[in-house]
Amino acid sequence: MVENLRFRDATLAKRVVEKIHNLASKEGTVKICHVCGTHEWTITHFGLRSLLPTNVEVIAGPGCPVCIVPASEIDEAIQLASKGMVITCFGDVLRVPGSKMSLLDAKAEGADVRVIYGVSDAVKMAEKEPNKEFVFFAIGFETTAPSTAVEVIKQPPENLSFLVSHRLIPPAMKLLVDMTDLSLNGFIAPGHVSTIIGVKPYEIFPKRYHMPTVVAGFEPLDVLFGVYMILKQLSEGKPCLENEYMRAVRWEGNVKAQELMRKVFEVVNGNWRGLGTIPSSTFKLRRKYENHDAHLKYGVKVEDGVDIQPGCKCHLVIIGKIKPTECPLFMKTCTPQKPVGACMVSIEGTCRIWAKA
Amino acid sequence: MCLAIPAKVVNIKGDGAQVDFGEGVLREVNVTLVDAKVGDYVLIHAGYAIQVLGEEEALETLRLWNEILEAAR
């Protein structure tokens, strides 16, 4: 397919970088924020920051869904495991620190914690072992939530419940623009979240906040053109909403997935690790499906968790206020082998990406 | 987590489909969320197809990129 043919063309990259330098020379400091771990991976892996002019900074916002799961929800999953439930989860979440331990620590102590590729694996396991109670720890942004909705609506086995920990990206972006000391000048909106929600939910950013916003894909050229499009909007003084990733993102998004999510979930306020409560930023199962809601089914009470361990600066890294290298623990006591903060755990965590670069 | 990989739909049976991630790496995925047909390229995330990739749009992107680069050279 064309995907691999010219989306990494070095000549095109050189030329767009020239254009970026030309536009940036007429601007002061420009701070562009992306909110996707995969964008951070592309930027770091391909060394894109080194190609940008010194006055153009690209920072990583809270785009790693694993990093923002609050410790209290990890604690709840661990407590459920300690009561004999089988916890099924994505591999990324296994080592995320709870208040006292991670799910991996719990597994080492004998809890039945199983890594799965997708929620359908949890359904198959629950069907195969009807004598055990299974919980799917449903983390992830709008990209992942539709798959949970698919299985919830299909009447899953009675012995499977869902610990819903999905989070929504646009409310987090709103929080970032409201932090005026971050002084953002533009957003690169997340490509794969947008395949589901479409482009429309970002309209508020150029309209209300005069913030250029470009949905971009994940090839290095996608990101460079995203930066170019934001600079172009700034130079013309016309902030607007553009879709660079049109091969995967339709303006209206995936309507089928949106419909399913609406049927299965209601939107409620959510706690984000290191960021506190963000209004209307998480999903909860609707009443119709509450017999599969692990919160209600097992009624485990958890205290407020310890989101940030002493010395850890994840709460500042996650909003791009500091770089991972500015955290005193980075690659000293906090390493990919022994992470202290959540940003060092997932392959989409900013600290983890920088550690491997 | 939001990683999604393109794959080609090889066959479809109900909600399930067999997709090819390239070089013969085949896997069963769920296609409930998309209207895909055999031969389409889809984006796969955690075992579910989340969108059909548009070849026309991909070519349009390359055309636009070149247009941007050609402008005011």
Side-chain angles (χ1 to χ4, degrees):
Chain A
M1 159 133 187
V2 287
E3 182 81 11
N4 291 322
L5 298 181
R6 279 172 289 167
F7 285 87
R8 292 188 179 178
D9 186 310
T11 318
L12 280 182
K14 268 185 200 155
R15 287 169 60 195
V16 70
V17 167
E18 265 172 41
K19 290 247 169 198
I20 287 172
H21 278 260
N22 283 344
L23 282 176
S25 64
K26 295 163 199 131
E27 300 286 332
T29 302
V30 178
K31 207 191 244 185
I32 298 169
C33 181
H34 72 75
V35 274
C36 179
T38 313
H39 275 145
E40 184 56 29
W41 187 87
T42 300
I43 290 164
T44 308
H45 182 78
F46 292 99
L48 301 187
R49 284 192 178 91
S50 67
L51 301 176
L52 297 177
T54 47
N55 62 324
V56 176
E57 192 185 355
V58 180
I59 64 166
C64 161
V66 178
C67 307
I68 52 86
V69 175
S72 60
E73 289 174 20
I74 304 282
D75 296 345
E76 186 173 353
I78 291 171
Q79 280 206 41
L80 289 171
S82 72
K83 286 179 186 292
M85 320 304 164
V86 181
I87 303 296
T88 56
C89 64
F90 295 117
D92 301 44
V93 86
L94 208 57
R95 296 195 307 145
V96 174
S99 298
K100 292 189 183 124
M101 61 162 71
S102 64
L103 277 163
L104 187 64
D105 296 328
K107 188 176 168 70
E109 289 185 6
D112 196 346
V113 179
R114 303 184 194 177
V115 171
I116 55 174
Y117 172 58
V119 56
S120 59
D121 294 339
V123 174
K124 281 180 208 146
M125 284 177 186
E127 282 169 348
K128 210 173 162 189
E129 297 171 72
N131 299 328
K132 289 182 177 166
E133 289 288 314
F134 283 77
V135 175
F136 173 59
F137 191 9
I139 67 149
F141 293 133
E142 293 94 329
T143 323
T144 320
S147 58
T148 305
V150 166
E151 299 304 335
V152 170
I153 215 160
K154 270 201 320 205
Q155 287 188 325
E158 270 180 28
N159 60 330
L160 174 63
S161 55
F162 298 82
L163 190 59
V164 176
S165 190
H166 292 302
R167 293 291 186 276
L168 309 176
I169 278 288
M173 290 169 70
K174 191 173 170 305
L175 179 91
L176 296 179
V177 273
D178 285 337
M179 290 178 177
T180 46
D181 58 331
L182 267 185
S183 312
L184 297 181
N185 303 104
F187 272 129
I188 295 178
H192 290 147
V193 162
S194 307
T195 60
I196 302 296
I197 67 173
V199 182
K200 206 175 159 37
Y202 309 113
E203 269 176 349
I204 178 183
F205 301 112
K207 270 191 186 160
R208 194 187 296 174
Y209 298 97
H210 311 291
M211 183 80 69
T213 303
V214 176
V215 175
F218 298 99
E219 292 294 335
L221 276 172
D222 286 316
V223 176
L224 288 173
F225 273 93
V227 170
Y228 168 81
M229 287 157 90
I230 288 171
L231 287 169
K232 182 95 171 123
Q233 290 184 30
L234 288 171
S235 73
E236 290 171 354
K238 288 180 192 159
C240 62
L241 179 55
E242 293 184 279
N243 179 16
E244 184 280 333
Y245 197 27
M246 62 175 99
R247 61 193 187 276
V249 175
R250 318 280 176 266
W251 194 265
E252 70 284 2
N254 182 332
V255 178
K256 225 174 179 179
Q258 292 165 18
E259 193 61 30
L260 262 177
M261 289 195 293
R262 250 192 308 274
K263 280 186 183 159
V264 168
F265 303 118
E266 59 182 295
V267 177
V268 293
N269 297 343
N271 186 23
W272 294 50
R273 184 184 292 244
L275 296 179
T277 300
I278 303 181
S280 305
S281 68
T282 187
F283 280 145
K284 174 184 174 213
L285 284 180
R286 287 194 183 275
R287 221 167 161 179
K288 189 176 174 191
Y289 305 104
E290 66 184 19
N291 55 333
H292 287 287
D293 186 332
H295 291 299
L296 302 172
K297 190 169 177 181
Y298 302 111
V300 168
K301 296 273 177 280
V302 284
E303 307 279 320
D304 285 343
V306 181
D307 280 343
I308 305 294
Q309 297 294 330
C312 172
K313 303 283 183 209
C314 271
H315 56 301
L316 299 177
V317 170
I318 219 162
I319 54 169
K321 215 161 195 177
I322 67 164
K323 298 181 180 78
T325 43
E326 292 172 67
C327 173
L329 308 189
F330 182 74
M331 295 309 280
K332 294 187 177 80
T333 50
C334 184
T335 62
Q337 289 72 34
K338 211 166 181 294
V340 175
C343 303
M344 186 58 95
V345 177
S346 165
I347 50 163
E348 298 215 346
T350 308
C351 293
R352 170 73 182 268
I353 294 168
W354 281 51
K356 292 278 180 189
Chain B
M1 259 312 293
C2 289
L3 192 69
I5 311 286
K8 190 177 185 177
V9 178
V10 176
N11 62 60
I12 300 176
K13 206 174 175 188
D15 291 343
Q18 197 174 38
V19 296
D20 185 350
F21 284 99
E23 295 176 14
V25 180
L26 296 176
R27 209 190 143 98
E28 301 293 325
V29 300
N30 184 299
V31 287
T32 308
L33 298 167
V34 293
D35 293 314
K37 52 186 192 307
V38 172
D40 281 346
Y41 280 84
V42 287
L43 273 177
I44 308 294
H45 169 73
Y48 293 75
I50 56 168
Q51 192 55 276
V52 179
L53 286 167
E55 186 155 353
E56 249 172 58
E57 288 87 349
L59 290 167
E60 176 67 5
T61 304
L62 291 168
R63 196 189 61 75
L64 278 176
W65 284 358
N66 279 301
E67 198 178 288
I68 287 170
L69 294 174
E70 290 307 320
R73 279 202 88 193

